[in-house]
Amino acid sequence: MKKVIAKINFTANGKGYIAGDEINDLTYEQIVKLNEKGFIEPLDFKDLVLIERELNKKKEKL
């Protein structure tokens, strides 16, 4: 899965992120929203689809 990297300083799920931090443990919807608002390094459609597939595989294993 492509790494989701913070572009600016922000807080998500009660955890603070500084620009350059790798972001983990977010839902697909949260990643899309952060991408739309420019809080993370830009992800294109292909990246988002691959992330969604990876997250769905993790859910199926649980």
Side-chain angles (χ1 to χ4, degrees):
M1 176 166 72
K2 183 169 177 147
K3 293 183 179 183
V4 179
I5 306 294
K7 186 175 176 181
I8 61 173
N9 303 335
F10 67 94
T11 302
N13 291 340
K15 184 175 179 185
Y17 295 98
I18 298 172
D21 285 351
E22 183 176 352
I23 302 169
N24 297 313
D25 301 327
L26 295 178
T27 65
Y28 174 73
E29 291 78 18
Q30 289 172 319
I31 293 170
V32 169
K33 192 163 281 209
L34 292 172
N35 190 49
E36 288 173 352
K37 293 186 177 195
F39 284 32
I40 60 176
E41 295 294 327
L43 300 171
D44 60 16
F45 179 74
K46 180 181 175 184
D47 296 330
L48 291 172
V49 169
L50 293 173
I51 289 171
E52 182 179 29
R53 287 180 187 170
E54 178 104 9
L55 292 174
N56 286 337
K57 285 181 184 179
K58 287 182 181 180
K59 283 183 186 177
E60 290 174 3
K61 290 182 180 180
L62 297 175

